[in-house]
Amino acid sequence: MPISSEWMPWLVGLGLNSLLAAIAWVLPKKLLTPAGIFHAWALGVILFGTLGWRGYVVMVVYFLVGSAVTRIGKQRKEEAGIAEKRSGARGPENVWGSALTATLCALSIYALGSAGTATTKVIIVLLALGYVASIATKLADTTATEIGKAYGRRTFLITNFQPVPAGTEGAVSLEGTLAGLLGAALIATLGWAVRLIAPIEIPMCIAAAFIATNLESLIGATLQSKYRWLTNEMVNIVNTFLGAIAAVAIAGAYYFLAHQLA
């Protein structure tokens, strides 16, 4: 019995991610914990099944670049006691802290895919933008944090711009901020290259990532120490959600004004 084309992306995702999970399991340098490998496998299957190779590639590039950035200046960060735990190996909490917002966008696009109304098509376009923007935001956050901890010459608390040690919750640096913008630009440009977003939406993603990353720093400086449930992973979920919402809001305002002026 022939396999329905509807199920083909899921089967390809299942096979591809099973192969990659097996490779990750035997690699001497672990990018993921054992549990992290399983959860990344599940995430990969979902993304390939819902968005195909385009959405999958964007997430894989985020993961590879984010993992590489975590290892920049590793010795210096370890000596200062601000390096990532487990030598940067990602666990389930890291997988979903980074990708929950993107996964919800992907599942929503898949659920709406069979509907062909004009309104539904607009929603799908905005959800695709939210998907790319959430990943751009996370890479901006990761890059800004890791580069700032390793090479930030002057680190300031975002609430009052008073100098603080690198690695302080809510701390920002010029070097980290610039690196974060580059990280966001990388993902946004890739999102356009694989035809998930339009060219005009590249700067929207970068702006949204900048806004969300600074809001995350503000949350870290003011709220995170007050609430035990507000873990780094929970803040990451909030961060990526804010990035997606900011991008959709910017796009909505832009397209509304463009329509009014047309």
Side-chain angles (χ1 to χ4, degrees):
M1 181 177 179
I3 299 173
S4 170
S5 59
E6 180 183 352
W7 291 105
M8 187 58 69
W10 292 96
L11 293 175
V12 173
L14 182 63
L16 175 61
N17 284 281
S18 296
L19 175 62
L20 293 176
I23 293 172
W25 188 271
V26 300
L27 282 176
K29 289 188 177 181
K30 302 297 185 184
L31 298 179
L32 293 156
T33 66
I37 292 174
F38 172 76
H39 284 262
W41 172 85
L43 171 65
V45 172
I46 292 171
L47 294 185
F48 207 106
T50 54
L51 296 182
W53 67 269
R54 294 179 175 84
Y56 185 79
V57 164
V58 175
M59 184 62 76
V60 168
V61 169
Y62 153 72
F63 173 71
L64 293 176
V65 175
S67 296
V69 167
T70 300
R71 286 163 169 73
I72 293 177
K74 180 181 175 182
Q75 183 176 352
R76 183 181 303 182
K77 287 182 283 190
E78 286 178 343
E79 291 173 353
I82 55 175
E84 288 290 313
K85 60 183 180 179
R86 301 187 299 242
S87 298
R90 272 32 177 192
E93 71 281 7
N94 305 115
V95 171
W96 298 112
S98 301
L100 180 60
T101 299
T103 303
L104 293 176
C105 288
L107 289 170
S108 298
I109 291 171
Y110 184 74
L112 294 170
S114 59
T117 66
T119 300
T120 300
K121 291 178 180 178
V122 170
I123 293 172
I124 289 174
V125 167
L126 293 177
L127 284 169
L129 174 61
Y131 176 83
V132 175
S134 71
I135 301 173
T137 298
K138 189 64 195 78
L139 186 58
D141 173 50
T142 300
T143 306
T145 299
E146 297 302 330
I147 297 299
K149 288 192 296 187
Y151 299 113
R153 296 182 181 180
R154 302 177 68 187
T155 310
F156 304 93
L157 196 64
I158 194 170
T159 53
N160 54 24
F161 291 98
Q162 293 298 311
V164 291
T168 302
E169 292 292 348
V172 296
S173 67
L174 176 61
E175 295 83 358
T177 299
L178 293 176
L181 290 172
L182 287 175
L186 170 64
I187 294 298
T189 303
L190 178 60
W192 162 73
V194 299
R195 295 184 295 169
L196 281 177
I197 63 173
I200 190 61
E201 293 171 339
I202 294 175
M204 295 178 188
C205 283
I206 297 171
F210 178 77
I211 293 168
T213 300
N214 281 284
L215 286 175
E216 190 221 26
S217 295
L218 188 62
I219 291 170
T222 59
L223 299 176
Q224 193 166 359
S225 62
K226 296 180 181 180
Y227 302 99
R228 294 181 61 184
W229 58 268
L230 203 56
T231 61
N232 287 337
E233 290 70 37
M234 183 61 69
V235 172
N236 284 336
I237 293 174
V238 173
N239 180 35
T240 54
F241 179 76
L242 290 173
I245 291 297
V248 169
I250 293 170
Y254 171 81
Y255 290 126
F256 175 79
L257 290 175
H259 178 73
Q260 292 299 311
L261 295 174

